[in-house]
Amino acid sequence: MSIQLLVTDRNLNVLGDPLAGWTQLSCERNFNAPASGSVTLPAYPDAMELLQPGHRLVLIRDKEIWCAGPMEQPQDYTWDLAQDAGPGTVTVSWSDDLARVAGYLTYPEPAKAFTAQETITNRVRQISSTNAETIIRTLVNENCGPGALAARRIERLALDAVAGVGTARSISTRFEPLLDACRTAAATDGLGFRTRQVGDQILFGVYAPADRTKTARFSQGLGNLRKLAFTLAAPTGTNELVQGGNDPSQEATPPNLRVFVEVASGAAADWYRVERLVEKSGITDDTGGELTQAGTLALGDDGPQASISTETVDTEDLRAGRDYGLGDRVTVVLPTGLELVDTVRTIRLEATPDGGEVVTSVIGSSDKTTTTATVRTVRDLARRLGRLETR
C-alpha cells in the first residue's frame, strides 16, 4: 500500500509537506455524484496550519491521484486527557472537485449576472438537437467553466478532451442544480461525467461507461470477493407517464395543449405494472427527446430495487480504477452460482497504517449502503419542487 496526502490551495499549488501520521482513512468515489472522504491524524501545529478553508486535499494511491478536491470540513478536532496526552486528533472531510460544480445553478442567460436576468418572462436555457456530451459540457462551461462569467469560474477548471459519446437530444433548464441538469442529459445514454486533476488543471469530462462483464468478475473462487449482500424488491414504477405541454396556469395558444409520452422499463413483465406521473410542463413536444429523458431518469429511481453491496479485494488481475471504474457494468457471482450484472455506483477505499487497505464496491442500487431510501425520497421531492419553482 502506498498512500500520500497533499494539501493544495484552490489554484492547485502544493502547500507544506505531505500530511503524516494519519491513523484512519476512507474515501468514497461515486458515479455522477461528488466523492466523500475523511482522514484522521494527529493535530500537530504544522498540519493544523494547512487544514484551512479554501484548501484542497489530494489523495495519491500508488503514485496516481485517487481523489482530489475541496476540504468541506477542514478541522474536526478532539482532545481527551484520559486517552491522549498529545496534541489531540483532527479529522478532515473532503470531496472531489465535482463538489464545486455541484454548487452551481443553471442560469437561463449564463452570459448575464443573476441580477441582470430576464424579468418579464420565465426564460429558460435551451440547448437543442445536439449530442448529450455536448449539452453537459456546454452547461458546465457556461456556468462555472472557462466560458462562465469571471465571478462564477472555478479556478483551474477546464474541459477535458471530447469523447464523442451520446446521442442527439435537447434540454431546457432554469435555475436548476447544475448536476441535476447534467444527469438529465446523461440519463438516456447512461453517460458518466467526472472531474480529475491532471497537472495544474482540473479537467471536467464526459465518458461512456464500459461493458466489463466478461473481464471484471467478482467471486469467491477468484479470491477477490470477501463479502456480499443482495436484496431484490419490487419496482416503485414500471411505466413513467410523462406529461408535457403548456403550463395550465399560463396563457397559451392553443390553450393548455398537453403532450403525453410513456416510457416503460419492461419490468412489468417480471413483476407487475406500476404507473408514475412525471410532470414536465413547458416542454411542448418530444422532438429533442426531453420528455423521454424525463421518463428515463424517473425509471432510474423507480426501477426494481436490486441492491448489491460487495466487499472486494484488489488482485494482480483486477484492480479498481485500473480494470474497472465508476459506471462500468461488471459481473458478481453469488455463492449460489447465480451471476448478477449491474453498474458500479461507488468505489470506496478504506485504509489504516497497520491493517492495510480494503476496496469496497457498491454495484447496482446503493440504497442499502451509501444512499438511503429517505435521501432518495428527499432528492425526488426537491426535484419535483424545483420544476414547480422554475416554471
Side-chain angles (χ1 to χ4, degrees), residues 159-181:
L159 296 180
D160 210 336
V162 174
V165 296
T167 55
R169 61 196 66 258
S170 301
I171 191 171
S172 299
T173 181
R174 172 183 167 83
F175 296 128
E176 179 183 8
L178 179 53
L179 287 194
D180 282 358

Side-chain angles (χ1 to χ4, degrees), residues 196-219:
R196 59 193 186 102
Q197 179 178 331
V198 178
D200 63 352
Q201 288 186 311
I202 300 167
L203 299 180
F204 175 90
V206 182
Y207 66 99
D211 182 351
R212 303 192 187 279
T213 54
K214 302 297 184 184
T215 58
R217 296 173 61 85
F218 301 93
S219 72

Side-chain angles (χ1 to χ4, degrees), residues 260-310:
F260 302 99
V261 171
E262 181 174 351
V263 182
S265 66
D270 295 325
W271 296 90
Y272 40 79
R273 185 180 178 95
V274 182
E275 299 176 343
R276 298 287 296 271
L277 181 65
V278 179
E279 175 64 42
K280 287 292 290 184
S281 292
I283 308 301
T284 56
D285 62 62
D286 198 36
T287 304
E290 286 189 77
L291 299 179
T292 298
Q293 284 175 177
T296 302
L297 190 64
L299 282 178
D301 287 339
D302 297 338
Q305 305 301 295
S307 177
I308 312 170
S309 174
T310 65

Side-chain angles (χ1 to χ4, degrees), residues 13-231:
N13 299 306
V14 177
L15 306 175
D17 296 324
L19 297 178
W22 58 270
T23 56
Q24 188 169 7
L25 179 146
S26 66
C27 183
E28 185 175 277
R29 300 188 309 186
N30 301 304
F31 181 54
N32 289 357
S36 175
S38 68
V39 60
T40 300
L41 63 154
Y44 292 118
D46 56 342
M48 298 296 281
E49 185 177 353
L50 296 175
L51 305 179
Q52 299 296 326
H55 288 177
R56 300 167 66 256
L57 192 64
V58 180
L59 167 58
I60 300 174
R61 180 194 184 211
D62 296 334
K63 299 182 180 181
E64 294 186 357
I65 295 178
W66 178 267
C67 179
M71 297 183 191
E72 297 188 316
Q73 186 173 285
Q75 298 184 17
D76 183 1
Y77 174 77
T78 60
W79 179 83
D80 188 337
L81 179 61
Q83 300 178 8
D84 185 0
T89 62
V90 61
T91 298
V92 184
S93 298
W94 87 100
S95 184
D96 60 8
D97 291 301
L98 197 60
R100 295 283 308 274
V101 179
Y104 286 78
L105 301 178
T106 57
Y107 278 18
E109 299 175 286
K112 297 180 180 179
F114 176 72
T115 53
Q117 297 293 307
E118 177 64 62
T119 60
I120 304 300
T121 63
N122 288 335
R123 184 185 298 274
V124 298
R125 175 66 173 107
Q126 186 165 18
I127 307 174
S128 302
S129 301
T130 187
N131 72 61
E133 178 187 12
T134 300
I135 290 174
I136 296 169
R137 289 168 60 90
T138 299
L139 288 173
V140 171
N141 179 53
E142 66 188 18
N143 283 287
C144 62
L149 295 172
R152 303 184 75 206
R153 292 175 197 156
I154 295 176
E155 298 87 352
R156 314 306 303 170
L157 181 65
L159 296 180
D160 210 336
V162 174
V165 296
T167 55
R169 61 196 66 258
S170 301
I171 191 171
S172 299
T173 181
R174 172 183 167 83
F175 296 128
E176 179 183 8
L178 179 53
L179 287 194
D180 282 358
C182 291
R183 292 187 193 101
T184 299
T188 303
D189 295 312
L191 300 182
F193 49 83
R194 62 194 169 197
T195 55
R196 59 193 186 102
Q197 179 178 331
V198 178
D200 63 352
Q201 288 186 311
I202 300 167
L203 299 180
F204 175 90
V206 182
Y207 66 99
D211 182 351
R212 303 192 187 279
T213 54
K214 302 297 184 184
T215 58
R217 296 173 61 85
F218 301 93
S219 72
Q220 182 181 10
L222 292 172
N224 57 12
L225 184 63
R226 284 185 178 175
K227 295 180 182 178
L228 182 146
F230 172 63
T231 300

